[in-house]
Every structure is written in structure tokens, then in C-alpha cells.
Amino acid sequence: MSQLSAIPASMSDFWLEVEHIKQTRGSDVEECNSSDSGITEDGEAEAAWLQDTGLSTLICDQSPLENNIIMSTLTQTQAAAVRRRLDTYSYSLRKRWKHQARDVRDVFTGKGMADGFFKKNGKMQTFDPTQALGKVSTVPYMGSESQHRLSGGANILDTNVAYSEQAATKQKEEQASVQDAGTFPKFQLNKGRLGTTHVSDLTPSDMKQVPALALIELTALCDILDLELKRNKVQKRKSGESHLFGVALPSLLIQDQKLVPDTTVPLILQAIFTCIEKNGMDIQGILRISGSQARIKNLQQRLEKDFYDGLFSWDDVHPHDASGLLKLFLRELPAPLLTTQNLPAFIAVQNIPDLNQRLQALNLLILILPEPNRSTLKALLEFLQKVAAREKTNLMSLWNVSTILAPNLFLYHGGKNLEKGEKQLAEGTAALMMAMVHYQDLLWTVPTFLVSQVRKLNESSAKRSFRDRRLRNFLRKIHTDKERSENSQTELCRQVKVQPTLWLKETLAVQVDGETRASDVFQQLKKQGQRGWDVASTVGFLRSSSEYPNLALFEVGGNLCEHRLDPDTYLMDLYNINPNAEWVIKPSSSSLPSNRAV
């Protein structure tokens, strides 16, 4: 205990947890940082990056045609990031193998390709994308019309413009940074005319496009901030013969979905959360005080045997033992919850001094995570927020909770031991944990600029997949209709059909003008119902409104598979970017967080 006396009081929980982990697991408890031998080398790292972003054929002899779909959606800073990785890969390959690798100029045509590409005076220089990209078109940066702060004092997190483009502009204009200074400045999303899109608002097929685009954007942002973005090699660790603890999340969820279809969070984790929430939220030191190791080991063995048979009873489980099971589950995962690849990036985020840009990087990292990891992490953070909200009774502040859980997320098999002298790294991971808990509503959103890129990807993919002349003519008609809609933005109103599939057999026309929002549709439907619905339709609407209080308007088809709309979405703006979509009212699968400053 004397060794810990020199540690600041605010970090004592962190180091006590580290010591507890070492005692329960042994000397193999390790942590991954930037010096880990698992970090990929130059060339290999770039090849893995291009693979993960869907641009791997750029380094092969194949035609880059299929990559032009992705490239055509990129902003100037994103395209610059791609070019840097491709050039570094080509240079490394020629140096290592004396082999003529595909030159970057085979992909990016234009003059002045090498000027300002590598580090100059110790700092990475950007280039003129209009020259370097040649025929590869990019999305121009139009600038942001929003202010950086609201009148109420909250900072704005602008998701309408690519974060890397904002950072580049901020550097040029030398704008002031948002500092946290140990506090939680208020942030509020800038919804814009298209509203806010949460991760749960998009279908899996559309969300599947997001991680690659988010990785490109994160890389571009780190380039602008001169922050080295390293990723670990994926090191496979064999799962044991257990059914719950030490099982990879995808495998565990496949097993769980046989019992509860569509579940996205492991059932064992949900059961642990429920046990603590039912009996332990007001117990002083919950999560901090470790339960009996003998009891926890016995509980683990019983759960492995009886959990899926429904024979395990949680009634007699002590809350401290349940919290021990929670931390054990996280530590025993074959790969870290934040993934082996992305742990260095999460740790590096703490080196970004501007809190706004730090949250932007965290937002992108969350989107890069595989869906099972992202959903499980969200459930964990929501639980931790509930624990911290009862601080007056359980004496567990958000900082206490964060310092205890951080070692369980950032310490894992396969890296370098975390020593007590590494104070900065320890404090950084705890602060990162605290920020993820506090700002989670902001972090689990898909920025508007990424949604726009997904729309363009879907449009381009659809055009390439259609070879039939009649389908090409159909696409030409779609393009013509889209141009007409763009040219008629100044019209006062437009008839848009909404199909309330729950209670009406026929579609209804809804009056839409430039100020009509998604939330206004329900009021218009009620007014139309009072005038022209039959008795069955009226009763059906009233019944649906009572049975499904969270009815929402969805955008279906066109350039997105399905998209639950923010109530503040301006429908004329949405129509102009996706005129071929249907609008359908149906129950919202989950409640959405409010647009409050956090």
C-alpha cells in the first residue's frame, strides 16, 4: 500500500484496479501502446489501411474503375490522405523488394505529384488536390455557415462538413481551441436541415459502408492535426472451451440470437447489468470494491454450465460479485472491446488538445468499430452513466467509475506491461473513458457528411450494376427528375406521398413546403383524417398512436435502404437529395436521445 501512497488520490482507484487485475490473472496482464511490437511496419500498414478502406485494388495491376466510386465521394483532405498512403506504400515496396510497384501517378494523374507530399521541416505538407487528383473528382468544401458556440454557451459539434476540412480551415484561420480544463464543456449537435442521424437510424446494409469512409476521414483528420495514427496487427487469440467468458463477441452473439433474435448485446452482459441495477446501484463503492474471488470463480463455472439452460438464479448473487463478473467478462474477451487494431488510435486521441476535434476523432473511431463491439460498448457506457448518476448514494463519481473500468478495457493479453510510472498514459485512458461516458449521445451519431457519402456510393453502385438499356433509360429519368427537383427548390409547396402502412391501405398526399419538418407530417395526417378517412382508418390511426407512441417517419429506398428521420428534418431538403424514396410511418425500434447539450 505504501507504493500507492505516492500516486495522486484521483488516480488511486486506477492503480488499485491494475494491481487487482494482476493478482487475479497473473503477470501476463498487458497493455497495448504505440511501442508495441504488434504495430505494423511501413508498407504493410498502408496495405492493411487500403484493404480496410476498400481501396486495395489501387495497389494491384487491376483497373481502378471500381475504386472511382469511393474516390468520387471523397473530400479534398480525404483524397489527400489516400494519396499519402498509396505513395508511402509504393515507396516502401520499391525500397524493400527493389520491385517496380504501381506508381501513385497511375491512379492520381496531374502535374506536381511529388511536391509537398512528404514531410517538410518536420511537418506533413498538403498538396493542391485540383492538380493532384486530375480526373478523380472530389466533393468540394463549401464551408460551414454555423457559429462555433450557441447563445446559451454550448459549443456546436458540426457534422455537416467533413471534420478534416474543418480542421484545415481552423489551421488557416488560427481559430481558438475548445479546452476542457478538467470540466465538461457543453456540446450540441448542429442538426442542419437534414437533422441528426444516429447509428440505429440506418440499416445494417447502409451502416456497412460507414466504417471505411470513417477510417479515411479519421486518417485525413489526423494528417491535418499532425497526429500519427498507428494501428495494431490483428493478433488472434484462441477462444477456450467456455460458452460465455473468453468467447469472441460475434460468436457469442450468434449463440445468443438463437434464443433472442436480433439481440445486439451479449445476454450474459445484459443479465449482469440487470443484477447490479436491481440490487447494487445504491451500494457504496459498487464497481470499486471487489467481490470474493472464490465466489466469482464459482459463479463463472455455474454460469458456463447453467446460463443457457435457464437454471441460473441471480437472486443470491451479491452486487460486488456481479461487478467482478462484469470486469472479468471484459478482460477475458479474446480481443479487446475497442479492438486490437484501434486501441493505439483510441489512446492517441488524448493527444489532441482541442476538445471539439477530440470528440470528432472519437466519433469516427466509434463508427469504425465492428457492430458487435460498438453495440456492446454503448450498452456498457449507458450502464456506467446510470451508476455515476447515483453518486450521492453509492459515492461513485464519473471519474471513479472511469478510472476503475479503464484498466479493464485497455489492459489485455499481448502487449507491454503498464507501469505505475506511466502516469500520463494512465490518466489519458481514464479521461478517455470518462469522455466516452459523458458524450456518448454525440459519439453514436453518423455525421451528415458521411451519410451524404453513403448516398453517393449507393447511387454510383446502382448505376454500375444496371447494364440493360431499359434500366439505363430508367436511371436517366431518375437523374432528370432529380435535376428538376433541384431546379424547383423555390416552389412554395409540393405534394409528397406518405404511406402509413400500420393502419391505412392507401397512401395519402401530404402538403410539403420549404419549412415542413418530419414532425409536421403527423399533424397533417390527423387533419386529413378528420376530413376524409373512413371509420376503420380513423380507428386504426388512433389505435396505432396509442400502441406505438414512438411512431417515426422513415425514408425508404432511393439512395438509402432505410433511414429513420429526425423529427426536425426539413422534408423539402430531403426530397431534393432523394426524390425517389418513399416515406413510411412505422414504429420506431428504439427511443432516440434528445438534442440536448451534453
Side-chain angles (χ1 to χ4, degrees), residues 25-223:
R25 182 191 277 175
S27 60
D28 61 339
V29 178
E30 296 165 346
E31 184 273 342
C32 171
N33 61 20
S34 58
S35 63
D36 184 7
S37 59
I39 297 290
T40 53
E41 299 176 355
D42 285 345
E44 186 180 358
E46 279 65 35
W49 187 90
L50 290 166
Q51 178 71 35
D52 291 341
T53 56
L55 297 168
S56 58
T57 55
L58 291 178
I59 61 178
C60 304
D61 293 331
Q62 303 174 26
S63 169
L65 179 61
E66 68 179 80
N67 296 291
N68 284 344
I69 296 178
I70 297 179
M71 297 303 300
S72 65
T73 70
L74 302 185
T75 64
Q76 295 178 352
T77 51
Q78 291 171 353
V82 173
R83 180 172 176 267
R84 289 190 183 94
R85 272 72 205 168
L86 186 59
D87 190 88
T88 301
Y89 172 81
S90 300
Y91 175 78
S92 300
L93 202 61
R94 287 194 297 268
K95 183 179 178 181
R96 289 169 56 190
W97 302 105
K98 307 297 182 182
H99 174 69
Q100 184 62 39
R102 190 177 187 196
D103 195 278
V104 67
R105 281 164 283 198
D106 293 337
V107 180
F108 298 98
T109 59
K111 298 180 180 180
M113 292 299 297
D115 295 339
F117 183 79
F118 295 101
K119 286 189 177 180
K120 185 177 180 181
N121 298 327
K123 191 172 184 180
M124 185 71 77
Q125 302 294 308
T126 58
F127 60 95
D128 183 359
T130 59
Q131 293 183 356
L133 294 178
K135 296 181 180 180
V136 180
S137 61
T138 59
V139 179
Y141 172 49
M142 304 304 294
S144 174
E145 298 179 359
S146 62
Q147 299 296 320
H148 295 284
R149 292 183 66 86
L150 297 173
S151 57
N155 299 281
I156 285 183
L157 188 65
D158 189 356
T159 66
N160 296 302
V161 179
Y163 297 152
S164 55
E165 297 286 354
Q166 295 181 43
T169 301
K170 195 168 188 176
Q171 277 189 349
K172 293 177 182 178
E173 299 177 359
E174 298 183 352
Q175 297 174 5
S177 300
V178 179
Q179 304 294 335
D180 49 5
T183 62
F184 290 115
K186 291 183 178 180
F187 277 88
Q188 184 168 316
L189 289 171
N190 176 28
K191 284 192 173 186
R193 302 279 296 183
L194 296 176
T196 299
T197 299
H198 295 85
V199 170
S200 58
D201 293 340
L202 297 176
T203 60
S205 57
D206 285 329
M207 274 301 301
K208 190 177 180 180
Q209 311 261 33
V210 172
L213 294 169
L215 178 56
I216 295 174
E217 171 60 16
L218 176 65
T219 307
L221 176 62
C222 290
D223 283 352

Side-chain angles (χ1 to χ4, degrees), residues 397-516:
S397 67
L398 180 54
W399 176 250
N400 296 140
V401 170
S402 302
T403 53
I404 290 168
L405 264 293
N408 293 279
L409 287 187
F410 290 93
L411 306 186
Y412 77 106
H413 297 281
K416 177 185 174 183
N417 283 325
L418 180 65
E419 302 296 339
K420 294 177 184 177
E422 299 183 53
K423 177 176 178 291
Q424 183 177 1
L425 181 59
E427 292 179 346
T429 56
L432 176 67
M433 192 79 203
M434 187 165 61
M436 287 195 295
V437 175
H438 183 75
Y439 292 112
Q440 58 183 284
D441 286 349
L442 300 179
L443 300 179
W444 260 259
T445 58
V446 184
T448 303
F449 68 88
L450 284 184
V451 177
S452 298
Q453 289 180 296
V454 171
R455 291 181 186 276
K456 192 167 184 180
L457 276 176
N458 289 340
E459 289 175 351
S460 300
S461 298
K463 289 178 182 178
R464 287 193 57 225
S465 64
F466 294 148
R467 304 298 183 188
D468 186 89
R469 173 183 290 185
R470 287 174 298 177
L471 291 174
R472 288 201 299 269
N473 291 337
F474 175 68
L475 287 172
R476 192 176 298 114
K477 181 179 182 299
I478 290 177
H479 182 70
T480 302
D481 291 344
K482 183 177 180 181
E483 287 183 342
R484 288 174 181 171
S485 67
E486 291 172 349
N487 294 334
S488 60
Q489 280 184 317
T490 56
E491 294 182 9
L492 294 177
C493 62
R494 183 182 299 277
Q495 294 287 328
V496 179
K497 289 188 175 181
V498 180
Q499 185 179 2
T501 54
L502 285 175
W503 63 87
L504 292 175
K505 296 180 181 180
E506 299 178 357
T507 60
L508 290 176
V510 176
Q511 200 80 5
V512 174
D513 60 29
E515 296 304 313
T516 304

